[in-house]
Amino acid sequence: MRRLEVLEAEGVTFVCNTEVGKDLPTETLMKDFDAVILCTGSTRPRDLPIEGRDLKGIHFAMEFLTGNTRTLLDGKPSADYLSAAGKDVVIIGGGDTGTDCVGTSIRQGCKSVTQLEIMPRPPESRAANNPWPEWPKIYRLDYGQEEAAALFGDDPRAYLNTATRFEGDDEGNLKAVHTVQIQWAKDEQGRFSPQNIPGTERVLPAQMVLLAMGFLGPEQPIIDALGLEQDGRSNIKAEHEQYTTSIPGVFAAGDCRRGQSLVVWAFNEGRGVARECDRYLMGATQLP
Ligand SMILES: Cc1cc2nc3c(=O)[nH]c(=O)nc-3n(C[C@H](O)[C@H](O)[C@H](O)COP(=O)(O)OP(=O)(O)OC[C@H]3O[C@@H](n4cnc5c(N)ncnc54)[C@H](O)[C@@H]3O)c2cc1C
């Protein structure tokens, strides 16, 4: 709040609870402002369209995390709150979003938590193709898995594992997840793809599944409303360091430009796009 107050005192106006393209037409935005910077993030979740996907109890990670955060901030359960209390929870996806689901499920009082990760367990020390000064891609316990290990005795991640189908009861409620171990092998086109290993099937009891398998790109409505060009991965097309889109005066930065990424990149791109927007408005810039 202190930081927000500093920005407000500097002349920034924050307009909350307003979705551009819905509550505020993009035409108004383009008419009222000389430049527009889009930082709308990469929030379209990857789905898992296997048998039983429609059962009650299967949610995208962000539905679960958003309702939880809203409840904490409001101090009372929000209408969209999803509770993991007393449930066997299976989280599909082993990234940062999956980690937040592990930590949140535990703090809500889940009965058990399992995290399926399709990639292999990283090595304990750097591989030969990952030398210093690259970021070391090694096995780590993030906070969620650390809490799970402290409570249930083990890292909840099952590597090289995926779900094959969801099983429900007579009332359409999720009751189990069928899983299988996979191996990465070349397919007919010579591309590495996951292949099921026969005889490794398991059935995990589950009353809640959280899908945390990454994000496919930015939300489409605002892109369509403005008529912006997109790149091959559906992100808003704009070069790094330039941030200019196919429409003059409209810039894009952060996850909506580069795809789901990291906070450090959001900082980097936020500073870069501010510089380029200043150059566009003033003809020159002194911003770094
Ligand atoms: C669950 C989760 C866990 C993560 N954990 C980590 C982590 O541990 N470390 C790390 O470095 N990164 C993590 N990330 C990634 C990181 O959060 C993002 O890379 C970063 O927040 C991207 O910043 P951004 O400003 O580009 O977009 P965002 O932070 O996604 O912000 C986009 C904003 O735009 C708003 N918006 C979208 N459309 C509209 C519209 N039409 N009108 C008005 N507003 C709109 C959204 O409401 C949102 O507030 C995580 C991401 C998720 C989802």
Side-chain angles (χ1 to χ4, degrees):
M1 285 313 294
R2 192 173 64 85
R3 171 61 64 181
L4 285 178
E5 281 159 19
V6 169
L7 293 168
E8 273 174 337
E10 286 179 331
V12 178
T13 306
F14 293 96
V15 183
C16 297
N17 298 313
T18 305
E19 187 176 334
V20 177
K22 193 166 142 201
D23 308 308
L24 177 72
T26 47
E27 297 79 29
T28 313
L29 198 68
M30 297 300 286
K31 187 162 61 65
D32 290 354
F33 296 92
D34 297 313
V36 171
I37 299 177
L38 298 171
C39 302
T40 52
S42 173
T43 47
R44 264 187 307 118
R46 180 174 283 116
D47 205 348
L48 188 60
I50 56 175
E51 187 186 329
R53 170 64 182 87
D54 295 335
L55 291 166
K56 281 177 256 165
I58 304 172
H59 310 277
F60 286 119
M62 288 308 290
E63 295 173 34
F64 174 65
L65 296 173
T66 308
N68 185 71
T69 301
R70 210 188 309 278
T71 296
L72 290 173
L73 292 175
D74 292 350
K76 58 179 173 24
S78 68
D80 55 359
Y81 183 74
L82 298 167
S83 175
K87 293 180 183 164
D88 299 296
V89 181
V90 173
I91 294 153
I92 305 181
D96 287 338
T97 303
T99 295
D100 286 352
C101 290
V102 172
T104 304
S105 300
I106 287 174
R107 290 164 195 204
Q108 287 189 357
C110 68
K111 188 170 153 203
S112 72
V113 61
T114 307
Q115 191 176 14
L116 304 182
E117 168 56 60
I118 202 163
M119 300 305 289
R121 182 184 156 125
E124 294 292 331
S125 57
R126 286 173 182 280
N129 62 356
N130 176 217
W132 183 91
E134 284 179 8
W135 172 253
K137 292 178 202 134
I138 54 171
Y139 174 78
R140 288 188 177 82
L141 272 188
D142 207 336
Y143 80 95
Q145 291 85 27
E146 204 175 331
E147 289 178 21
L151 196 62
F152 299 120
D154 213 353
D155 184 334
R157 283 171 291 193
Y159 288 98
L160 292 171
N161 262 272
T162 192
T164 51
R165 77 178 176 98
F166 301 118
E167 187 185 334
D169 63 16
D170 296 339
E171 272 137 41
N173 299 306
L174 174 75
K175 75 172 195 195
V177 181
H178 290 244
T179 70
V180 70
Q181 263 182 45
I182 62 109
Q183 62 187 351
W184 288 90
K186 283 192 177 164
D187 60 18
E188 289 108 46
Q189 282 88 39
R191 285 178 309 218
F192 274 99
S193 65
Q195 289 167 13
N196 296 354
I197 304 176
T200 60
E201 295 81 6
R202 281 194 304 161
V203 182
L204 304 174
Q207 300 81 47
M208 181 182 251
V209 159
L210 300 169
L211 302 176
M213 300 174 300
F215 298 86
L216 299 172
E219 302 291 335
Q220 198 63 32
I222 191 171
I223 297 175
D224 289 340
L226 286 165
L228 289 166
E229 261 182 53
Q230 290 169 270
D231 66 17
R233 294 183 301 142
S234 85
N235 298 318
I236 300 174
K237 197 169 176 185
E239 288 302 314
H240 183 225
E241 297 295 343
Q242 290 169 12
Y243 306 103
T244 44
T245 68
S246 54
I247 300 180
V250 178
F251 298 80
D255 281 9
C256 71
R257 192 200 70 78
R258 60 183 302 119
Q260 178 70 216
S261 186
L262 296 170
V263 169
V264 287
W265 274 114
F267 272 84
N268 173 279
E269 299 221 346
R271 291 169 69 94
V273 76
R275 179 192 66 229
E276 292 313 312
C277 190
D278 186 41
R279 196 194 310 280
Y280 170 79
L281 292 170
M282 307 302 288
T285 184
Q286 292 181 334
L287 293 178

